[in-house]
Amino acid sequence: GNSVTQMEGPVTLSEEAFLTINCTYTATGYPSLFWYVQYPGEGLQLLLKATKADDKGSNKGFEATYRKETTSFHLEKGSVQVSDSAVYFCALRGPQAGTALIFGKGTTLSVSS
Amino acid sequence: EPEVTQTPSHQVTQMGQEVILRCVPISNHLYFYWYRQILGQKVEFLVSFYNNEISEKSEIFDDQFSVERPDGSNFTLKIRSTKLEDSAMYFCASNSDRSRNQPQHFGDGTRLSIL
């Protein structure tokens, strides 16, 4: 079945450091891929998405590229801020699996000044 | 920007009691979902709903769960006889289109605590 694997956290960085959160997936067909962010005490917010191979999603300085050959969708940001501290979830929505989102376990990012 | 709203934000209930979690999806959306997140674990799909019927459900969504759209705006999740393991954050989501590239918009969640 479809699944998403994220790197284990927590990830602790200093402000302005480079961020990578790894995400790989298993899916039949060609899924759409998403990154959601959950700030403390809040719900899930869509951060970015990519719907086909080689698409790059970007938002708020974050980027992720849909890599079909490596079945990956790694999240990157060149310079993190304290306000980026949150839990980040990689998710997929497969063409054969109906409309449900399948989430990874989430990666907690903590940025200090 | 339109939002998905959920009430209450926190619900505390005795084991064995019925609980109803409420959601108001974005007004022009047609597809509705419930997910749950047990503390420290990943977000899990429960059920999706379209055209006044369940379109998909997971193994978690057993006979103690039900969903309803009682009017034109609310979408509810009922747990008939709560168990300790039902304690979790429950998220409602909606989207306007079934196509796979339409993102689901989530509410802030209801934290359900079963005592």
Side-chain angles (χ1 to χ4, degrees), chain A residues 4 30-32 34 36 38 41-44 46 49 51 89 93-95 97-101 103-105, chain B residues 33 35 37 41-45 48 55-56 91 95 97-109:
Chain A
V4 175
Y30 300 94
S32 291
F34 304 86
Y36 281 83
Q38 185 178 30
E42 298 184 16
L44 296 164
L46 177 69
K49 67 174 184 177
T51 58
F89 293 92
R93 196 174 172 187
T99 58
L101 280 168
F103 286 87
K105 290 186 176 181
Chain B
Y33 312 82
Y35 293 82
Q37 183 184 27
Q41 298 187 26
K42 67 177 173 182
V43 179
E44 301 171 293
F45 168 71
S48 60
S55 50
E56 185 185 4
F91 292 105
N95 64 267
D97 190 305
R98 192 180 177 91
S99 66
R100 60 191 180 92
N101 62 347
Q102 288 298 314
Q104 294 174 16
H105 298 262
F106 284 78
D108 284 346

Side-chain angles (χ1 to χ4, degrees), chain A residues 4 6 23-24 34-36 73 88-92 102-104 106:
Chain A
V4 175
Q6 281 182 244
C23 171
T24 56
F34 304 86
W35 277 99
Y36 281 83
F73 192 55
Y88 292 82
F89 293 92
C90 185
L92 72 78
I102 296 169
F103 286 87

Side-chain angles (χ1 to χ4, degrees), chain B residues 18-97:
Chain B
E18 176 184 283
V19 65
I20 297 175
L21 308 182
R22 291 183 166 79
C23 170
V24 179
I26 294 173
S27 63
N28 65 342
H29 284 187
L30 302 175
Y31 299 89
F32 315 115
Y33 312 82
W34 284 100
Y35 293 82
R36 78 172 185 191
Q37 183 184 27
I38 295 173
L39 186 64
Q41 298 187 26
K42 67 177 173 182
V43 179
E44 301 171 293
F45 168 71
L46 293 177
V47 65
S48 60
F49 192 86
Y50 169 70
N51 200 26
N52 284 320
E53 60 182 26
I54 291 172
S55 50
E56 185 185 4
K57 61 182 181 179
S58 72
E59 294 175 352
I60 303 168
F61 193 87
D62 61 22
D63 290 345
Q64 70 162 344
F65 290 93
S66 62
V67 289
E68 193 177 34
R69 189 155 163 81
D71 53 43
S73 59
N74 289 283
F75 177 52
T76 62
L77 175 69
K78 181 192 290 186
I79 308 175
R80 193 165 300 116
S81 177
T82 51
K83 300 180 284 208
L84 292 176
E85 53 264 38
D86 294 327
S87 295
M89 182 74 93
Y90 287 80
F91 292 105
C92 175
S94 69
N95 64 267
S96 59
D97 190 305

